[in-house]
Amino acid sequence: MPPEKHQLVYTLTARCRDCHRCLRVCPVNAISIANGQASVKPERCISCGACIRECPQGAKTYRRDIAQARDLIASGAVVAASVAPSFAAAFPDWKGGRFVSALRRLGFAVVAETAVGAYYSAQACAKAAGNGSNICGACPAAVNYIEKYRPELAAQIMPAASPMVAHARLLKTALGQDAKVVFIGPCVAKKSELERQDAAGAVDVALTFEEITEWLGKSGIDIASCEESAFDGLPRGDSRLYPVPGGFLKTAGLGDGFMNPAAISVTGAAEVKDALLSVPPEVAVEPLFCREGCINGPGLKTADGLLKRRASVFSYAAKAQTAKTGGAKTGAAGKFTDDEIRRACAAEFSPRPFKSGVEISEADIQRVLEQTGKGEPEQQLNCGACGYRSCREKAVAVLEGMAVPEMCIPLMRRRAEQRADRIISDSPNGIVVLDSSLSIISANPAFRTLFSCSDDLPGRRLSSVMDSAPFEKVAAGAQESVDSVYRDAPAGIFCKMLIYPLREEGQVIGIFVNMAQHDGGETAGLQRAQTVAQARELLEHQIDMAQHIAMYLGESTAKSEELVKKIIALSEEGKDGLDNTL
C-alpha cells in the first residue's frame, strides 16, 4: 500500500537502496532523501513517471486501480474501454486485434480507440492556435509542470481537452451518461488528470498497459488464445499517430513538428523545459515529457526498443487507415453534432504554482555551503551528481528538508580520503608507498621513525633507506607479494614485513610491524590492539561512506581500504603467529 491512500507515485521502501538515481532523473526535484530512503513529495510531483522508469531496484511505483475498474464491470453498468493509440507498441503485430477481444472477455461492453477523441481534440487545438495559445495540453505531465512550475505559461496552453477526456465525453454522449469509461494507456500522469476539475466525470478509471496485462493474467486470459476482432468506431485523419513525436501536429494540420518553423515537437523532460524557456508564442509546441513520446511511457512495459515501438504504431496506423472498418458497435463512436464536439473538447488551464513555504535567506544558503566545504564560488563544482543542477540549489533543498549534506559526492569522497589519510598517518605500523621505479611517494611517521628518516623522503629511492631487494621482486612481477621478516641488526630494526603491488596504478606498498620490542609483554599487545582498533574504525567508516556514495567512491578510497585490510591481517596474527614466523 502507498504511504498515503491517494498518493499516486510512491516508494517501496523495502527495495530502496539509497542510490539517488530517482532524484537525479526527477525533472522537478520532487524526491526527498531522509534516513537512507528516497520518498516522493506529492505536492511537488508532476506524475511524469521518470523515477518509475529509471529506478534500477524497482523501488518507485504507482497506485494500482485494477480493483476499481473490476468493480465497475461487476456493477452491471455499461463500461467502455478507451484504448490509447500507443497500444500498437504495447501489443504489436498479431497481438493488437486479439488484445481487443481480450478486453471484451474481461467484460468491457465497448472497446474503442482514444484516437477518436484525439482527432477532435487536435481540431480544437488548431482553431485555438494563433489566438494567444500555442502549447498543446495532451500530455498531462507537461500540463502539471507548466501549472506548478511555469504558471505564467498556463494561459498559453491551448484550451482543448486531451484526447482521453474528449473521447470519454463522446462515449458517454453516445452510450448514455450512466455509462462508465476506463482509459487504458502508457501514462501514469493520466491518473492525475482525472482529478482535474475541468475533467471531472469524464473518465472513471485510468489504467496503464502494465495494469491491464496484470489484470488479464490474474483473470486467466491469454491473448494468444483470443480471436482477432476490431475496435468499436473508426478514428479520423492521422489521429492514430498521436503517441509519436509530431503526431498531434500532423493530426491538427500544423505540420509534423520537424520541418515547419511555425510548429515544433519536443520530447524528454529536459528538452521540454528548455523549449518552454525560449519558444516564441507564435510557434505551436507539442511538449511530450517522455522521450520519444507516449510509446516510452512508464506504464508501457515491453522488451522492444523505441524504434520498434515507433514502427509498430506507424504500421498499425497504415493498415487501419486502409481497412477503414469499425467493430460491431460502430455507432458507439457515433456521429456527433458540433455542439457535442465543442462540449467534449472544452478545457481550462490555470496556474497553481508550487511554493515550499520555507523562508530562506542568503545567509542561510551560505551557511549550508560553508558546512559542505563550498563557501567560495571556486569550491562549488555544480557537478549535478546529487541530483541538483548546482550546489546552491542543493543548499536550498537542504534548508527545505528535501536533501541532506551527505548527498554531495565530492564532499563524501573528500571526507573518506581525509579519514583514511589520518588513520594511516596515526598507525603505529610503518607504511610506505612507492612508484614502479621504487622511488618513495609517501611514508607515514611510523615508517620514518622505524628507519630513522627525515621528512624529506618523497622522491628518494627506497634503496637509500633499506634493502630494496624484496620490493624489486614484487615490482618486477617475480613475486606476487612478500610476507616475511626484515632484520637490520646494526640499525636495531626487527620487524614483520608485508609487500604487495597495485598493478593498475604502478605502485608498490610496504607495511612494517615493529617487533624490536616484542617480548610477549604489554607493548606489542597494545600496539596490535591500537592498530586493529584504528583499522576497524576506518573500515566501518568506509562502509558508511560507500552507502552514501555507492559507485562514486574514488579509486584512492578503494586503495586505502585495501591497505587497511592488509594492516588488520598483519596485526591480528598476534604473538604466536609472529613467533612462528621468526
Side-chain angles (χ1 to χ4, degrees):
M1 291 294 291
E4 295 182 20
K5 182 178 179 181
H6 299 295
Q7 185 163 332
L8 179 50
V9 180
Y10 61 98
T11 301
L12 295 172
T13 55
R15 293 185 181 180
C16 182
R17 294 294 180 268
D18 195 24
C19 71
H20 298 181
R21 184 166 177 176
C22 57
L23 197 152
R24 289 191 291 274
V25 301
C26 179
V28 294
N29 295 122
I31 311 290
S32 70
I33 303 294
N35 301 319
Q37 291 285 311
S39 59
V40 181
K41 297 300 182 183
E43 68 276 9
R44 295 174 180 254
C45 182
I46 60 173
S47 306
C48 66
C51 59
I52 298 170
R53 184 170 48 242
E54 295 293 335
C55 178
Q57 304 300 326
K60 291 293 179 292
T61 189
Y62 57 93
R63 186 189 68 226
R64 290 329 199 240
D65 295 321
I66 299 173
Q68 290 89 321
R70 188 189 295 117
D71 289 345
L72 289 179
I73 291 176
S75 71
V78 174
V79 183
S82 174
V83 183
S86 51
F87 88 93
F91 303 95
D93 306 320
W94 59 267
K95 296 178 183 178
R98 301 189 184 196
F99 173 62
V100 176
S101 294
L103 293 179
R104 292 195 173 107
R105 287 195 187 184
L106 283 176
F108 287 101
V110 172
V111 181
E113 296 181 76
T114 312
V116 171
Y119 173 80
Y120 295 112
S121 176
Q123 303 314 304
C125 287
K127 292 178 182 178
N131 295 322
S133 59
N134 67 318
I135 303 172
C136 172
C139 174
V143 171
N144 289 339
Y145 171 73
I146 292 171
E147 291 185 334
K148 282 188 176 184
Y149 296 97
R150 295 298 307 280
E152 73 279 7
L153 298 179
Q156 291 179 226
I157 302 176
M158 298 173 182
S162 70
M164 176 187 76
V165 172
H167 187 222
R169 288 171 175 165
L170 291 174
L171 283 171
K172 290 189 175 184
T173 297
L175 301 173
Q177 294 303 313
D178 290 336
K180 306 299 180 183
V181 176
V182 175
F183 172 78
I184 303 170
C187 183
V188 170
K190 283 297 182 185
K191 294 174 180 283
S192 70
E193 189 176 353
L194 270 59
E195 301 169 5
R196 297 184 59 87
Q197 289 185 355
D198 63 325
V203 180
D204 297 279
V205 178
L207 301 179
T208 64
F209 290 127
E210 182 182 27
E211 286 176 281
I212 205 68
T213 300
E214 291 176 8
W215 188 2
L216 289 170
K218 291 178 180 178
S219 300
I221 299 174
D222 181 7
I223 291 179
S225 67
C226 296
E227 70 282 1
E228 287 195 16
S229 61
F231 283 101
D232 298 312
L234 184 66
R236 298 174 61 184
D238 295 302
S239 56
R240 291 188 176 98
L241 300 179
Y242 239 82
V244 297
F248 150 72
L249 294 173
K250 187 173 179 62
T251 306
L254 298 174
D256 59 9
F258 302 103
M259 301 301 291
N260 182 358
I264 182 173
S265 178
V266 187
T267 75
E271 290 75 10
V272 168
K273 292 168 67 176
D274 181 69
L276 293 177
L277 288 172
S278 56
V279 173
E282 64 272 13
V283 175
V285 184
E286 176 190 40
L288 301 171
F289 250 69
C290 292
R291 184 172 63 89
E292 292 303 315
C294 306
I295 58 173
N296 195 27
L300 194 162
K301 306 294 185 181
T302 175
D304 292 340
L306 288 174
L307 288 178
K308 176 65 167 63
R309 299 181 212 178
R310 181 184 176 92
S312 295
V313 170
F314 276 103
S315 175
Y316 170 73
K319 291 178 181 178
Q321 187 71 14
T322 301
K324 290 187 179 297
T325 58
K329 298 183 180 65
T330 302
K335 289 187 177 180
F336 304 101
T337 66
D338 290 343
D339 190 53
E340 288 171 336
I341 294 171
R342 180 182 55 77
R343 288 199 300 270
C345 294
E348 294 181 7
F349 302 97
S350 57
R352 44 190 179 99
F354 168 77
K355 295 181 180 179
S356 69
V358 179
E359 295 293 333
I360 298 173
S361 67
E362 283 296 322
D364 293 330
I365 296 173
Q366 185 62 29
R367 173 173 51 81
V368 174
L369 288 172
E370 290 175 356
Q371 288 175 350
T372 55
K374 301 176 182 297
E376 299 299 326
E378 60 270 19
Q379 296 173 317
Q380 298 170 24
L381 303 181
N382 300 326
C383 65
C386 63
Y388 292 89
R389 292 180 301 175
S390 67
C391 297
R392 180 184 174 84
E393 278 193 12
K394 157 72 180 319
V396 171
V398 170
L399 293 166
E400 290 178 339
M402 293 292 292
V404 292
E406 289 74 20
M407 287 165 55
C408 177
I409 305 304
L411 170 68
M412 298 306 288
R413 177 176 175 175
R414 186 166 62 251
R415 285 183 180 177
E417 292 172 347
Q418 290 172 348
R419 184 78 165 182
D421 291 344
R422 184 180 66 79
I423 293 180
I424 292 173
S425 176
D426 292 346
S427 172
N429 295 324
I431 302 171
V432 64
V433 181
L434 311 172
D435 64 18
S436 58
S437 63
L438 300 187
S439 293
I440 298 173
I441 297 175
S442 65
N444 73 343
F447 179 88
R448 295 196 298 269
T449 299
L450 181 63
F451 289 91
S452 302
C453 301
S454 61
D455 292 340
D456 63 348
L457 276 179
R460 290 173 56 184
R461 299 278 296 178
L462 180 66
S463 57
S464 68
V465 177
M466 61 176 290
D467 180 9
S468 62
F471 286 85
E472 291 171 0
K473 293 178 181 179
V474 173
Q479 286 185 235
E480 183 58 33
S481 64
V482 171
D483 185 352
S484 65
V485 172
Y486 181 84
R487 288 186 178 89
D488 186 345
I493 299 174
F494 175 35
C495 58
K496 183 171 176 61
M497 175 176 65
L498 174 63
I499 305 170
Y500 68 96
L502 295 176
R503 298 293 183 197
E504 292 185 3
E505 292 74 24
Q507 297 176 359
V508 179
I509 308 296
I511 304 175
F512 301 83
V513 179
N514 187 4
M515 298 304 300
Q517 298 176 342
H518 177 66
D519 56 6
E522 295 183 0
T523 302
L526 288 173
Q527 184 183 47
R528 287 195 299 274
Q530 181 184 2
T531 298
V532 172
Q534 287 180 320
R536 289 206 179 283
E537 180 185 359
L538 175 57
L539 279 179
E540 291 173 2
H541 175 73
Q542 297 289 15
I543 292 171
D544 183 61
M545 292 298 104
Q547 290 175 340
H548 286 288
I549 61 180
M551 69 184 69
Y552 296 97
L553 275 171
E555 289 184 0
S556 58
T557 304
K559 293 174 200 171
S560 65
E561 187 166 338
E562 180 181 354
L563 178 56
V564 173
K565 287 179 179 177
K566 298 284 187 181
I567 297 173
I568 288 180
L570 272 176
S571 299
E572 287 192 326
E573 287 182 357
K575 175 179 179 296
D576 293 338
L578 288 168
D579 285 341
N580 291 335
T581 302
L582 301 176

